[in-house]
Amino acid sequence: GTGLHLHCSETAGAVARTRTRTGRTPVGQLAHLGALGSRTLLAHCVRVDEADRALIAACGASVAHCPHANLKLGSGIAPVRDLARRGVNVTLATDGAKANNRLDLFDVMKFASLLPKGTDHDPTALPAPAVLAMASRNGARALARDAGVIAPGRAADLVLVRPDALHLQPLAPATVQTNLVHAARGADVAMVMVAGRILVRDGRLTTLDQDRLVGRLREVGLRLLGAAD
C-alpha cells in the first residue's frame, strides 16, 4: 500500500538505455516488475509511446506533468491531453529548482494550459477549469489524500489569493478560473493553510524567520557559484 514516485521516460536517451538493459520501455519495465499501479506517480512521461500510454491508463497510475523542466532541459512536451483522454490522472509539478527556477505552481498552470494550445493549434485545449483540477484535486488523488476541494470532511488545506491585484481584474465569477491559471502568480498568495495550520500569512512564512532564510539562501547560492568557477 506504500506509494511509489519516480521520474519516468523524461528523455529519449533514458528510454533507450532502459530498452538496451531490459528490452522494455521504462513504463513497460515498471509494469513487468509489478510497480505500476494506482499508488504509482510518474513524473514527466514525455517519451511514452502508444503501448506505454495504454499501460499507464490500464494500471491506474498518475502522471505529474512538469512543463517548465521539460522545456528548459529540452526533453520535449508530455502528451498530457492524450493521457487525460485515456482516463489517466494527470497532475502538475514544478520538478527541481535547477530545472524550474521559480517553483511557482501558478506559473506551471499557465505553461500547462498554453503548451497544448500551441502544439495542437487549438485555443480550447486544456481550459482553465481542467488545469485547476490538475493542480488541486488531481494532485490530492495522486497522493491518496482526502484534499483538493473545499468541502465538509476534507483536509483543511487552503490557498487564499489576493483579489485586488491589477493583473487579476476584472475579478468576477466568469473570470476567476482563467485569471488564476493565466494571470495569477505565486506572489499573489496571501495565506496558505495546511491541515488547519496557517503556514503563510500576508505573503510571509509564519514558521520560519523569512528575512534570515533569504539571507542564508543568498550566502549558500553565492558559495555554490564560487565553487563552480
Side-chain angles (χ1 to χ4, degrees):
T2 301
L4 176 66
H5 170 57
L6 69 158
H7 290 211
C8 183
S9 300
E10 182 177 3
T11 65
V15 174
R17 286 192 298 272
T18 303
R19 279 191 183 276
T20 299
R21 182 171 56 85
T22 68
R24 304 179 184 88
T25 65
V27 172
Q29 177 66 358
L30 287 172
H32 174 72
L33 295 172
L36 198 64
S38 60
R39 296 299 305 276
T40 306
L41 174 57
L42 305 175
H44 303 300
C45 289
V46 174
R47 304 287 181 166
V48 284
D49 60 21
E50 179 73 20
D52 289 336
R53 300 178 199 188
L55 268 177
I56 294 170
C59 293
S62 296
V63 170
H65 179 35
C66 306
H68 287 71
N70 299 155
L71 291 176
K72 186 176 181 182
L73 300 178
S75 304
I77 300 173
V80 293
R81 203 179 181 196
D82 182 61
L83 289 168
R85 286 196 197 103
R86 296 168 184 263
V88 175
N89 181 49
V90 180
T91 185
L92 297 178
T94 60
D95 202 3
K98 68 181 179 63
N100 181 284
N101 296 96
R102 283 181 58 84
L103 301 181
D104 186 336
L105 200 59
F106 286 91
D107 206 29
V108 172
M109 285 198 293
K110 182 173 183 175
F111 266 62
S113 176
L114 296 182
L115 278 176
K117 289 175 170 58
T119 58
D120 297 355
H121 309 288
D122 179 4
T124 68
L126 275 190
V131 176
L132 280 172
M134 292 166 69
S136 53
R137 62 175 179 267
N138 290 15
R141 176 183 166 192
L143 298 175
R145 295 197 70 244
D146 194 18
V149 297
I150 301 174
R154 297 297 183 100
D157 295 348
L158 300 170
V159 174
L160 298 186
V161 177
R162 292 180 58 91
D164 56 352
L166 292 175
H167 54 274
L168 294 180
Q169 306 310 314
L171 192 64
T175 65
V176 65
Q177 293 188 80
T178 189
N179 278 354
L180 284 173
V181 170
H182 292 115
R185 306 165 183 164
D188 296 322
V189 172
M191 189 273 282
V192 175
M193 176 187 290
V194 177
R197 184 186 183 195
I198 295 177
L199 302 183
V200 175
R201 180 185 283 113
D202 297 328
R204 293 184 65 84
L205 299 171
T206 62
T207 60
L208 295 169
D209 183 332
Q210 185 164 322
D211 294 331
R212 183 179 178 185
L213 179 61
V214 170
R216 178 62 177 152
L217 289 172
R218 175 176 170 77
E219 290 175 9
V220 172
L222 290 174
R223 188 163 66 247
L224 289 172
L225 286 174
D229 290 339

